[in-house]
């Protein structure tokens, strides 16, 4: 049974470390498979659109994304193509609670990754999905959306 993990928040320094690639041998291990499934459960429970492993205390290159067509688990995600066009949109982050700001991201991306079975995959994404993937990959490099955001706003403290 997957379990709900604790999400680290700023200023925890794990969020600021660069994460390591996952080897194909490691990817097949039960421990990492369980971590990925626990991340999916945690993301859904906390109503997140995405989650990166450093947010649950693991500095490895693993992200999960909640799309309208289902959940994606991406090991070693790497953006291979960026659209010239960029756009601003509001973001938030479970590791920076109650804070929102506008971030400029590439409108469309191509991303290669390994799925939970260790198969190499490619995804073309645009709009929100492209944005979420870029936000989560930033986490793997120790970058938080507040580093890039403008018009940063703090939600009412009563509004959790
Ligand atoms: Co985040």
């Amino acid at each position: 049974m997957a379990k709900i993990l604790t999400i680290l928040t700023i200023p925890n320094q794990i969020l600021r470390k660069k994460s390591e690639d996952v080897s194909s041998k490691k990817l097949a291990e039960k421990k990492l498979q369980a971590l990925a499934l626990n991340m999916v459960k945690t993301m859904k429970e906390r109503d997140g659109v995405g989650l990166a492993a450093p947010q649950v205390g693991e500095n490895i290159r693993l992200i999960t994304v909640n799309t309208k067509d289902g959940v994606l688990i991406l090991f070693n995600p790497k953006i291979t193509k960026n659209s010239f066009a960029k756009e601003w949109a509001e973001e938030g982050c479970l590791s920076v609670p109650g804070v929102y700001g506008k971030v400029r991201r590439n409108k469309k991306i191509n991303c290669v990754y390994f799925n939970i079975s260790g198969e190499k995959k490619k995804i073309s994404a645009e709009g929100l999905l492209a944005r979420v993937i870029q936000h989560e990959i930033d986490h793997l490099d120790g970058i938080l959306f507040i580093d890039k955001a403008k018009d940063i706003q703090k939600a009412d403290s009563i509004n959790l």
Side-chain angles (χ1 to χ4, degrees):
M1 274 290 276
K3 59 179 182 184
I4 295 163
L5 305 170
T6 302
I7 295 181
L8 305 182
T9 54
I10 51 167
N12 194 303
Q13 283 309 299
I14 290 176
L15 294 168
R16 291 305 193 174
K17 277 193 200 147
K18 193 168 163 72
S19 292
E20 300 284 335
D21 266 333
V22 182
S23 68
S24 49
K25 194 180 153 204
K26 265 240 164 94
L27 196 156
E29 284 173 10
K30 273 207 175 104
K31 198 182 134 208
L32 273 199
Q33 302 265 314
L35 172 66
L37 298 178
N38 289 341
M39 281 173 58
V40 168
K41 180 152 186 175
T42 305
M43 173 177 71
K44 287 183 171 172
E45 180 71 22
R46 298 287 303 271
D47 276 331
V49 285
L51 195 64
Q55 293 183 275
V56 294
E58 301 287 340
N59 278 120
I60 58 169
R61 299 190 84 82
L62 162 63
I63 65 173
T64 60
V65 180
N66 214 349
T67 80
K68 61 182 190 326
D69 303 317
V71 164
L72 287 173
I73 296 171
L74 298 85
F75 287 94
N76 302 344
K78 198 175 169 198
I79 292 172
T80 53
K81 200 175 171 188
N82 277 309
S83 65
F84 182 72
K86 296 186 178 189
E87 62 187 352
W88 291 93
E90 189 167 79
E91 295 188 13
C93 179
L94 292 170
S95 293
V96 192
V99 177
Y100 300 89
K102 289 200 176 79
V103 182
R104 190 169 181 244
R105 305 260 187 209
N106 299 295
K107 241 175 162 171
K108 292 182 185 178
I109 57 160
N110 286 347
C111 176
V112 293
Y113 64 97
F114 292 88
N115 70 11
I116 198 161
S117 308
E119 297 159 338
K120 195 167 189 178
K121 297 275 182 185
K122 182 180 163 184
I123 184 172
S124 297
E126 60 185 299
L128 179 64
L129 181 57
R131 174 169 296 275
V132 174
I133 291 171
Q134 290 171 81
H135 174 118
E136 301 312 332
I137 291 178
D138 271 354
H139 272 298
L140 305 183
D141 294 319
I143 298 165
L144 299 172
F145 85 98
I146 46 173
D147 303 342
K148 302 178 162 183
K150 68 170 188 182
D151 302 340
I152 290 180
Q153 296 198 353
K154 291 200 168 122
D156 200 309
S157 57
I158 211 160
N159 190 353
L160 297 173

